[in-house]
């Protein structure tokens, strides 16, 4: 995990929740952590990390992850044992 990924991880766990975080940065963090990525139909994507599964829809047409997606990403990382 490089410095950019660490900054994204800190942003995910920051309060108040950042609703202006680009989804591609969250996805890059997941990949750096070793997530298995399963592409679904349309914008659906599934991530597997440490035996934990999380389903997301990539944001469109905007590229920012809304607050609820950031909270879902935080919950996924918490359950998988990843914290900043």
């Amino acid at each position: 995990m490089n410095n950019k990924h660490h900054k994204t991880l800190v942003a995910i766990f920051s309060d108040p929740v950042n609703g202006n975080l680009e989804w591609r940065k969250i996805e890059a963090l997941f990949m750096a952590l070793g997530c298995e990525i399963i592409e679904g139909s349309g914008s659906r994507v599934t991530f597997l990390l440490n035996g934990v599964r999380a389903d997301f829809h990539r944001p469109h047409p905007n590229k920012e992850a809304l607050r609820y997606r950031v909270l879902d990403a935080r919950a996924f990382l918490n359950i998988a044992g990843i914290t900043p």
Side-chain angles (χ1 to χ4, degrees):
M1 183 167 61
N2 64 25
N3 192 36
K4 287 183 182 182
H5 298 137
H6 182 71
K7 285 181 182 180
T8 303
L9 182 64
V10 170
I12 290 171
F13 281 89
S14 68
D15 281 318
V17 176
N18 184 353
N20 202 20
L21 190 59
E22 289 185 31
W23 175 254
R24 66 177 180 82
K25 291 181 179 181
I26 295 173
E27 207 166 317
L29 169 66
F30 288 171
M31 290 171 46
L33 292 171
C35 280
E36 180 183 343
I37 299 173
I38 302 168
E39 296 287 338
S41 61
S43 64
R44 187 178 191 90
V45 62
T46 299
F47 298 98
L48 298 172
L49 178 64
N50 299 336
V52 180
R53 175 186 172 143
D55 297 310
F56 293 95
H57 286 274
R58 290 185 176 112
H60 57 82
N62 298 328
K63 57 186 175 182
E64 289 82 20
L66 298 177
R67 284 184 173 88
Y68 75 91
R69 280 193 186 99
V70 176
L71 286 172
D72 289 346
R74 181 190 297 184
F76 169 60
L77 292 171
N78 263 329
I79 295 168
I82 307 295
T83 56

mmCIF file of all heavy atoms in Angstrom, residues 23-24 26-28 30-31 35-48 53-60:
data_model
loop_
_atom_site.group_PDB
_atom_site.id
_atom_site.type_symbol
_atom_site.label_atom_id
_atom_site.label_comp_id
_atom_site.label_asym_id
_atom_site.label_seq_id
_atom_site.Cartn_x
_atom_site.Cartn_y
_atom_site.Cartn_z
ATOM 1 N N TRP A 23 -14.601 7.420 -6.441
ATOM 2 C CA TRP A 23 -14.773 5.974 -6.312
ATOM 3 C C TRP A 23 -13.541 5.217 -6.779
ATOM 4 O O TRP A 23 -13.148 4.217 -6.195
ATOM 5 C CB TRP A 23 -16.014 5.499 -7.062
ATOM 6 C CG TRP A 23 -16.134 4.015 -7.026
ATOM 7 C CD1 TRP A 23 -15.894 3.139 -8.033
ATOM 8 C CD2 TRP A 23 -16.465 3.216 -5.887
ATOM 9 N NE1 TRP A 23 -16.069 1.846 -7.605
ATOM 10 C CE2 TRP A 23 -16.414 1.868 -6.283
ATOM 11 C CE3 TRP A 23 -16.797 3.509 -4.565
ATOM 12 C CZ2 TRP A 23 -16.691 0.825 -5.415
ATOM 13 C CZ3 TRP A 23 -17.075 2.462 -3.713
ATOM 14 C CH2 TRP A 23 -17.020 1.148 -4.135
ATOM 15 N N ARG A 24 -12.879 5.713 -7.830
ATOM 16 C CA ARG A 24 -11.709 5.013 -8.361
ATOM 17 C C ARG A 24 -10.603 4.913 -7.324
ATOM 18 O O ARG A 24 -9.847 3.949 -7.303
ATOM 19 C CB ARG A 24 -11.210 5.668 -9.649
ATOM 20 C CG ARG A 24 -10.654 7.053 -9.476
ATOM 21 C CD ARG A 24 -10.097 7.616 -10.793
ATOM 22 N NE ARG A 24 -9.575 8.954 -10.574
ATOM 23 C CZ ARG A 24 -8.375 9.221 -10.073
ATOM 24 N NH1 ARG A 24 -7.570 8.243 -9.748
ATOM 25 N NH2 ARG A 24 -7.976 10.471 -9.876
ATOM 26 N N ILE A 26 -11.127 4.625 -4.035
ATOM 27 C CA ILE A 26 -11.548 3.567 -3.114
ATOM 28 C C ILE A 26 -11.277 2.204 -3.738
ATOM 29 O O ILE A 26 -10.757 1.299 -3.093
ATOM 30 C CB ILE A 26 -13.041 3.733 -2.755
ATOM 31 C CG1 ILE A 26 -13.258 5.033 -1.978
ATOM 32 C CG2 ILE A 26 -13.546 2.533 -1.959
ATOM 33 C CD1 ILE A 26 -14.707 5.378 -1.732
ATOM 34 N N GLU A 27 -11.609 2.074 -5.017
ATOM 35 C CA GLU A 27 -11.380 0.810 -5.708
ATOM 36 C C GLU A 27 -9.889 0.486 -5.798
ATOM 37 O O GLU A 27 -9.487 -0.660 -5.634
ATOM 38 C CB GLU A 27 -12.006 0.879 -7.106
ATOM 39 C CG GLU A 27 -12.411 -0.454 -7.627
ATOM 40 C CD GLU A 27 -13.332 -0.387 -8.832
ATOM 41 O OE1 GLU A 27 -14.269 0.425 -8.850
ATOM 42 O OE2 GLU A 27 -13.098 -1.195 -9.749
ATOM 43 N N ALA A 28 -9.049 1.497 -6.023
ATOM 44 C CA ALA A 28 -7.596 1.292 -6.071
ATOM 45 C C ALA A 28 -7.073 0.841 -4.709
ATOM 46 O O ALA A 28 -6.188 -0.022 -4.626
ATOM 47 C CB ALA A 28 -6.897 2.572 -6.508
ATOM 48 N N PHE A 30 -8.839 -0.882 -2.462
ATOM 49 C CA PHE A 30 -9.260 -2.276 -2.317
ATOM 50 C C PHE A 30 -8.314 -3.211 -3.065
ATOM 51 O O PHE A 30 -7.930 -4.256 -2.554
ATOM 52 C CB PHE A 30 -10.691 -2.464 -2.831
ATOM 53 C CG PHE A 30 -11.772 -1.863 -1.967
ATOM 54 C CD1 PHE A 30 -13.078 -1.809 -2.423
ATOM 55 C CD2 PHE A 30 -11.506 -1.360 -0.706
ATOM 56 C CE1 PHE A 30 -14.093 -1.270 -1.649
ATOM 57 C CE2 PHE A 30 -12.507 -0.820 0.080
ATOM 58 C CZ PHE A 30 -13.800 -0.775 -0.396
ATOM 59 N N MET A 31 -7.926 -2.827 -4.276
ATOM 60 C CA MET A 31 -7.015 -3.655 -5.066
ATOM 61 C C MET A 31 -5.643 -3.749 -4.392
ATOM 62 O O MET A 31 -5.023 -4.808 -4.373
ATOM 63 C CB MET A 31 -6.895 -3.094 -6.483
ATOM 64 C CG MET A 31 -8.171 -3.277 -7.293
ATOM 65 S SD MET A 31 -8.215 -2.438 -8.886
ATOM 66 C CE MET A 31 -6.651 -2.826 -9.589
ATOM 67 N N CYS A 35 -7.861 -7.300 -2.572
ATOM 68 C CA CYS A 35 -9.238 -7.742 -2.814
ATOM 69 C C CYS A 35 -9.343 -8.501 -4.121
ATOM 70 O O CYS A 35 -8.698 -8.151 -5.109
ATOM 71 C CB CYS A 35 -10.176 -6.540 -2.897
ATOM 72 S SG CYS A 35 -10.672 -5.867 -1.329
ATOM 73 N N GLU A 36 -10.182 -9.516 -4.094
ATOM 74 C CA GLU A 36 -10.572 -10.174 -5.335
ATOM 75 C C GLU A 36 -11.769 -9.393 -5.861
ATOM 76 O O GLU A 36 -12.706 -9.099 -5.118
ATOM 77 C CB GLU A 36 -10.964 -11.620 -5.070
ATOM 78 C CG GLU A 36 -11.386 -12.364 -6.305
ATOM 79 C CD GLU A 36 -11.828 -13.780 -5.996
ATOM 80 O OE1 GLU A 36 -11.519 -14.299 -4.918
ATOM 81 O OE2 GLU A 36 -12.522 -14.356 -6.857
ATOM 82 N N ILE A 37 -11.743 -9.050 -7.145
ATOM 83 C CA ILE A 37 -12.800 -8.247 -7.745
ATOM 84 C C ILE A 37 -13.595 -9.105 -8.711
ATOM 85 O O ILE A 37 -13.029 -9.777 -9.568
ATOM 86 C CB ILE A 37 -12.215 -7.031 -8.481
ATOM 87 C CG1 ILE A 37 -11.454 -6.153 -7.493
ATOM 88 C CG2 ILE A 37 -13.313 -6.235 -9.170
ATOM 89 C CD1 ILE A 37 -10.710 -5.021 -8.126
ATOM 90 N N ILE A 38 -14.915 -9.089 -8.548
ATOM 91 C CA ILE A 38 -15.810 -9.822 -9.430
ATOM 92 C C ILE A 38 -16.732 -8.802 -10.081
ATOM 93 O O ILE A 38 -17.519 -8.138 -9.396
ATOM 94 C CB ILE A 38 -16.626 -10.870 -8.650
ATOM 95 C CG1 ILE A 38 -15.697 -11.839 -7.930
ATOM 96 C CG2 ILE A 38 -17.582 -11.597 -9.584
ATOM 97 C CD1 ILE A 38 -16.378 -12.714 -6.911
ATOM 98 N N GLU A 39 -16.601 -8.659 -11.392
ATOM 99 C CA GLU A 39 -17.437 -7.721 -12.140
ATOM 100 C C GLU A 39 -18.819 -8.329 -12.335
ATOM 101 O O GLU A 39 -18.952 -9.470 -12.758
ATOM 102 C CB GLU A 39 -16.817 -7.423 -13.502
ATOM 103 C CG GLU A 39 -15.473 -6.732 -13.440
ATOM 104 C CD GLU A 39 -15.554 -5.280 -13.022
ATOM 105 O OE1 GLU A 39 -16.635 -4.662 -13.162
ATOM 106 O OE2 GLU A 39 -14.536 -4.765 -12.539
ATOM 107 N N GLY A 40 -19.833 -7.556 -12.026
ATOM 108 C CA GLY A 40 -21.202 -7.986 -12.250
ATOM 109 C C GLY A 40 -21.756 -7.332 -13.494
ATOM 110 O O GLY A 40 -21.023 -6.761 -14.299
ATOM 111 N N SER A 41 -23.051 -7.383 -13.640
ATOM 112 C CA SER A 41 -23.667 -6.740 -14.795
ATOM 113 C C SER A 41 -23.847 -5.253 -14.504
ATOM 114 O O SER A 41 -24.089 -4.849 -13.372
ATOM 115 C CB SER A 41 -25.014 -7.393 -15.106
ATOM 116 O OG SER A 41 -25.880 -7.248 -14.010
ATOM 117 N N GLY A 42 -23.707 -4.455 -15.540
ATOM 118 C CA GLY A 42 -23.862 -3.014 -15.383
ATOM 119 C C GLY A 42 -22.770 -2.437 -14.511
ATOM 120 O O GLY A 42 -21.587 -2.687 -14.718
ATOM 121 N N SER A 43 -23.164 -1.669 -13.512
ATOM 122 C CA SER A 43 -22.184 -1.014 -12.643
ATOM 123 C C SER A 43 -21.896 -1.813 -11.370
ATOM 124 O O SER A 43 -21.154 -1.351 -10.506
ATOM 125 C CB SER A 43 -22.698 0.385 -12.269
ATOM 126 O OG SER A 43 -23.890 0.276 -11.514
ATOM 127 N N ARG A 44 -22.426 -3.003 -11.267
ATOM 128 C CA ARG A 44 -22.265 -3.814 -10.059
ATOM 129 C C ARG A 44 -20.877 -4.431 -9.993
ATOM 130 O O ARG A 44 -20.357 -4.943 -10.972
ATOM 131 C CB ARG A 44 -23.314 -4.915 -10.031
ATOM 132 C CG ARG A 44 -23.326 -5.701 -8.745
ATOM 133 C CD ARG A 44 -24.450 -6.738 -8.802
ATOM 134 N NE ARG A 44 -24.636 -7.325 -7.506
ATOM 135 C CZ ARG A 44 -25.459 -6.860 -6.577
ATOM 136 N NH1 ARG A 44 -26.193 -5.811 -6.822
ATOM 137 N NH2 ARG A 44 -25.571 -7.448 -5.406
ATOM 138 N N VAL A 45 -20.274 -4.377 -8.807
ATOM 139 C CA VAL A 45 -18.956 -4.964 -8.591
ATOM 140 C C VAL A 45 -18.931 -5.556 -7.177
ATOM 141 O O VAL A 45 -19.511 -4.994 -6.252
ATOM 142 C CB VAL A 45 -17.829 -3.921 -8.800
ATOM 143 C CG1 VAL A 45 -17.925 -2.782 -7.818
ATOM 144 C CG2 VAL A 45 -16.468 -4.554 -8.748
ATOM 145 N N THR A 46 -18.292 -6.720 -7.044
ATOM 146 C CA THR A 46 -18.184 -7.403 -5.757
ATOM 147 C C THR A 46 -16.715 -7.484 -5.372
ATOM 148 O O THR A 46 -15.862 -7.774 -6.206
ATOM 149 C CB THR A 46 -18.782 -8.816 -5.844
ATOM 150 O OG1 THR A 46 -20.169 -8.712 -6.185
ATOM 151 C CG2 THR A 46 -18.660 -9.560 -4.526
ATOM 152 N N PHE A 47 -16.432 -7.229 -4.101
ATOM 153 C CA PHE A 47 -15.078 -7.320 -3.576
ATOM 154 C C PHE A 47 -15.028 -8.391 -2.496
ATOM 155 O O PHE A 47 -15.925 -8.463 -1.658
ATOM 156 C CB PHE A 47 -14.639 -5.982 -2.972
ATOM 157 C CG PHE A 47 -14.591 -4.863 -3.967
ATOM 158 C CD1 PHE A 47 -15.642 -3.977 -4.088
ATOM 159 C CD2 PHE A 47 -13.489 -4.697 -4.783
ATOM 160 C CE1 PHE A 47 -15.603 -2.947 -4.999
ATOM 161 C CE2 PHE A 47 -13.433 -3.669 -5.706
ATOM 162 C CZ PHE A 47 -14.492 -2.784 -5.810
ATOM 163 N N LEU A 48 -13.979 -9.203 -2.524
ATOM 164 C CA LEU A 48 -13.749 -10.222 -1.499
ATOM 165 C C LEU A 48 -12.404 -9.948 -0.840
ATOM 166 O O LEU A 48 -11.380 -9.851 -1.523
ATOM 167 C CB LEU A 48 -13.740 -11.616 -2.118
ATOM 168 C CG LEU A 48 -15.027 -12.071 -2.799
ATOM 169 C CD1 LEU A 48 -14.796 -13.384 -3.533
ATOM 170 C CD2 LEU A 48 -16.120 -12.231 -1.781
ATOM 171 N N ARG A 53 -17.292 -10.384 2.011
ATOM 172 C CA ARG A 53 -17.809 -10.008 0.695
ATOM 173 C C ARG A 53 -18.583 -8.701 0.812
ATOM 174 O O ARG A 53 -19.357 -8.503 1.754
ATOM 175 C CB ARG A 53 -18.737 -11.101 0.176
ATOM 176 C CG ARG A 53 -19.410 -10.780 -1.112
ATOM 177 C CD ARG A 53 -20.421 -11.831 -1.478
ATOM 178 N NE ARG A 53 -21.186 -11.391 -2.635
ATOM 179 C CZ ARG A 53 -21.586 -12.186 -3.589
ATOM 180 N NH1 ARG A 53 -21.340 -13.469 -3.523
ATOM 181 N NH2 ARG A 53 -22.253 -11.711 -4.602
ATOM 182 N N ALA A 54 -18.368 -7.813 -0.177
ATOM 183 C CA ALA A 54 -19.118 -6.555 -0.224
ATOM 184 C C ALA A 54 -19.527 -6.289 -1.668
ATOM 185 O O ALA A 54 -18.720 -6.425 -2.586
ATOM 186 C CB ALA A 54 -18.281 -5.407 0.300
ATOM 187 N N ASP A 55 -20.780 -5.922 -1.858
ATOM 188 C CA ASP A 55 -21.319 -5.607 -3.176
ATOM 189 C C ASP A 55 -21.536 -4.100 -3.265
ATOM 190 O O ASP A 55 -22.098 -3.495 -2.346
ATOM 191 C CB ASP A 55 -22.649 -6.322 -3.408
ATOM 192 C CG ASP A 55 -22.488 -7.830 -3.394
ATOM 193 O OD1 ASP A 55 -21.599 -8.322 -4.103
ATOM 194 O OD2 ASP A 55 -23.259 -8.496 -2.680
ATOM 195 N N PHE A 56 -21.095 -3.522 -4.362
ATOM 196 C CA PHE A 56 -21.250 -2.093 -4.598
ATOM 197 C C PHE A 56 -21.749 -1.863 -6.018
ATOM 198 O O PHE A 56 -21.588 -2.712 -6.880
ATOM 199 C CB PHE A 56 -19.908 -1.355 -4.447
ATOM 200 C CG PHE A 56 -19.365 -1.335 -3.060
ATOM 201 C CD1 PHE A 56 -18.450 -2.295 -2.650
ATOM 202 C CD2 PHE A 56 -19.739 -0.353 -2.165
ATOM 203 C CE1 PHE A 56 -17.931 -2.281 -1.370
ATOM 204 C CE2 PHE A 56 -19.220 -0.328 -0.877
ATOM 205 C CZ PHE A 56 -18.318 -1.291 -0.480
ATOM 206 N N HIS A 57 -22.300 -0.684 -6.244
ATOM 207 C CA HIS A 57 -22.596 -0.189 -7.581
ATOM 208 C C HIS A 57 -21.686 1.010 -7.800
ATOM 209 O O HIS A 57 -21.655 1.921 -6.976
ATOM 210 C CB HIS A 57 -24.063 0.242 -7.718
ATOM 211 C CG HIS A 57 -25.000 -0.904 -7.799
ATOM 212 N ND1 HIS A 57 -25.301 -1.522 -8.988
ATOM 213 C CD2 HIS A 57 -25.692 -1.557 -6.847
ATOM 214 C CE1 HIS A 57 -26.150 -2.506 -8.749
ATOM 215 N NE2 HIS A 57 -26.400 -2.550 -7.464
ATOM 216 N N ARG A 58 -20.934 0.975 -8.887
ATOM 217 C CA ARG A 58 -20.074 2.108 -9.196
ATOM 218 C C ARG A 58 -20.950 3.327 -9.474
ATOM 219 O O ARG A 58 -21.974 3.214 -10.137
ATOM 220 C CB ARG A 58 -19.211 1.801 -10.412
ATOM 221 C CG ARG A 58 -18.158 0.773 -10.140
ATOM 222 C CD ARG A 58 -17.250 0.605 -11.352
ATOM 223 N NE ARG A 58 -16.178 -0.322 -11.051
ATOM 224 C CZ ARG A 58 -16.053 -1.520 -11.606
ATOM 225 N NH1 ARG A 58 -16.915 -1.942 -12.501
ATOM 226 N NH2 ARG A 58 -15.044 -2.302 -11.273
ATOM 227 N N PRO A 59 -20.530 4.489 -8.978
ATOM 228 C CA PRO A 59 -21.338 5.689 -9.205
ATOM 229 C C PRO A 59 -21.309 6.111 -10.670
ATOM 230 O O PRO A 59 -20.289 5.974 -11.344
ATOM 231 C CB PRO A 59 -20.665 6.746 -8.326
ATOM 232 C CG PRO A 59 -19.290 6.252 -8.097
ATOM 233 C CD PRO A 59 -19.340 4.762 -8.181
ATOM 234 N N HIS A 60 -22.430 6.580 -11.144
ATOM 235 C CA HIS A 60 -22.511 7.118 -12.490
ATOM 236 C C HIS A 60 -23.710 8.048 -12.554
ATOM 237 O O HIS A 60 -24.673 7.850 -11.807
ATOM 238 C CB HIS A 60 -22.638 5.996 -13.532
ATOM 239 C CG HIS A 60 -23.799 5.082 -13.319
ATOM 240 N ND1 HIS A 60 -25.082 5.378 -13.726
ATOM 241 C CD2 HIS A 60 -23.895 3.897 -12.669
ATOM 242 C CE1 HIS A 60 -25.897 4.392 -13.364
ATOM 243 N NE2 HIS A 60 -25.204 3.483 -12.710
#
